[in-house]
Amino acid sequence: MPAVGAGSPRLTREDVGQAAQLACLLEVSAPKPGNVTPDAEFADARFEDFVASALAIGPVIAAADRLSVGACVLECVRATRRRTRTNTNLGTVLLLCPLARAYGHEPLRDALRAVLSTLTQDDARDVYEAIRLARPGGLGQVPAHDVWAPVAVSLRDAMASARDRDTIAREYVTDFAVTFGVALPAWLHWSGRLPARLAVVQTYLTVLSDVPDTLVARKTSALTAAAVSRVARRCLDAGGVQTEEGHRRLARMDTWLRRHGNHLNPGTTADLVAAALFTAILEYGFEIVLKPRIRTPGPCGDGADRVGA
């Protein structure tokens, strides 16, 4: 694992915005089963929508040190809506904005903890407005702190009330336990062994295997989300992008997840992967994702990078 410290480059605020753009672009460019990719789209969202959204949020993320977390999320969603009419990145910006605000104080996770501990009712009000504007899938209504009701608590308290049904909400009250404890270590592991886009796929499978996707659970059921996680684990155990059997399993998984529109889209998992990529750049610099491509022997010994099913 790369070392963090004096050797790690200090990013400018413009760099931080570009790091967010790169993280989002790399995440959506990878051939992850069930997600929008360059070769697969949904009825209401295309790869180009995600590219435009990634570019749109860069200047806002760059200014995160001058914005509250809630204002940063709201401005990201507003910027996104000027480019696309579909929700492409609400979950992602909910994760990126606190990280961007925390950047500049070391260590990053301690700074993030301080940011999350001081979230206010105004942050909640702005985030609720952002959620209403983005209109994410499977939103529905809930008994306590519903986004359609007046705000009465801090953003952290609101997230605490949703932690059992939403992994991103749970990140806010666990100091990003999945981002730092599962997704980032997985990325650092796989990026040392595979080209970046393939490392993204393996990271995605790792996170999905360990953490059932709550977007899938909200759109379908917790049992279905658990089944998706089991399929991801079988793909990973078969080698994922590294083996022929892994590729066959990934292709079958992708077909299954797309069978009924995008109800089985593990979108929350994709958000967590984007957050891990962003965190990696903040911690280790751009070279962590821009290092030279690794050419490794494929399962047939041809030495080619495998990028598709």
Side-chain angles (χ1 to χ4, degrees):
M1 181 180 296
V4 182
S8 299
R10 175 62 56 186
L11 304 182
T12 66
R13 296 312 303 188
E14 183 180 9
D15 289 337
V16 172
Q18 292 177 0
Q21 292 170 323
L22 179 58
C24 293
L25 291 170
L26 180 55
E27 179 272 310
V28 76
S29 296
K32 306 181 312 302
N35 285 173
V36 170
T37 74
D39 299 315
E41 61 185 35
F42 297 153
D44 62 345
R46 303 164 302 156
F47 173 72
E48 292 80 4
D49 293 313
F50 283 83
V51 172
S53 301
L55 297 180
I57 67 171
V60 183
I61 296 294
D65 61 329
R66 305 192 301 272
L67 298 170
S68 68
V69 169
C72 187
V73 172
L74 178 57
E75 289 307 312
C76 280
V77 171
R78 284 173 172 166
T80 297
R81 296 298 279 187
R82 288 193 289 270
R83 298 291 176 262
T84 179
R85 305 309 299 173
T86 189
N87 171 37
T88 53
N89 61 10
L90 174 63
T92 298
V93 300
L94 280 167
L95 296 171
L96 300 193
C97 288
L99 288 163
R101 181 162 175 76
Y103 182 74
H105 304 277
E106 299 294 346
L108 178 61
R109 195 173 182 190
D110 286 348
L112 174 67
R113 188 175 292 112
V115 168
L116 296 174
S117 69
T118 56
L119 294 172
T120 67
Q121 191 169 322
D122 286 340
D123 287 309
R125 187 174 296 110
D126 285 340
V127 167
Y128 278 27
E129 183 177 345
I131 294 171
R132 292 192 295 267
L133 182 60
R135 300 184 70 87
L139 182 58
Q141 291 184 306
V142 295
H145 313 311
D146 188 85
V147 298
W148 304 104
V151 178
V153 296
S154 73
L155 179 57
R156 188 165 177 127
D157 287 342
M159 292 298 195
S161 73
R163 63 180 297 167
D164 292 336
R165 63 178 182 273
D166 187 279
T167 303
I168 292 172
R170 189 159 61 247
E171 290 288 88
Y172 270 69
V173 294
T174 61
D175 303 321
F176 283 38
V178 176
T179 299
F180 281 90
V182 181
L184 179 59
W187 164 254
L188 295 175
H189 172 83
W190 291 113
S191 67
R193 293 159 173 79
L194 294 167
R197 284 187 298 151
L198 301 189
V200 168
V201 177
Q202 296 293 86
T203 300
Y204 172 82
L205 292 174
T206 303
V207 176
L208 186 54
S209 297
D210 290 349
V211 185
D213 192 283
T214 47
L215 178 61
V216 173
R218 287 198 304 277
K219 288 183 173 183
T220 56
S221 69
L223 288 175
T224 300
V228 172
S229 289
R230 288 194 296 272
V231 171
R233 171 55 62 188
R234 287 196 287 270
C235 287
L236 196 60
D237 289 346
V241 299
Q242 301 178 103
T243 67
E244 291 285 7
E245 177 60 23
H247 275 272
R248 284 192 289 269
R249 287 180 178 271
L250 282 167
R252 290 197 296 269
M253 179 181 180
D254 189 56
T255 299
W256 175 52
L257 294 180
R258 298 182 192 281
R259 187 169 298 163
H260 302 292
N262 62 346
H263 288 293
L264 297 184
N265 163 36
T268 298
T269 305
D271 296 332
L272 291 161
V273 171
L277 293 168
F278 183 55
T279 302
I281 299 171
L282 296 184
E283 293 272 49
Y284 308 112
F286 283 91
E287 64 270 19
I288 197 70
V289 297
L290 295 178
K291 60 191 174 186
R293 290 171 62 87
I294 301 171
R295 306 275 305 176
T296 56
C300 297
D302 56 8
D305 294 325
R306 298 299 302 273
V307 297

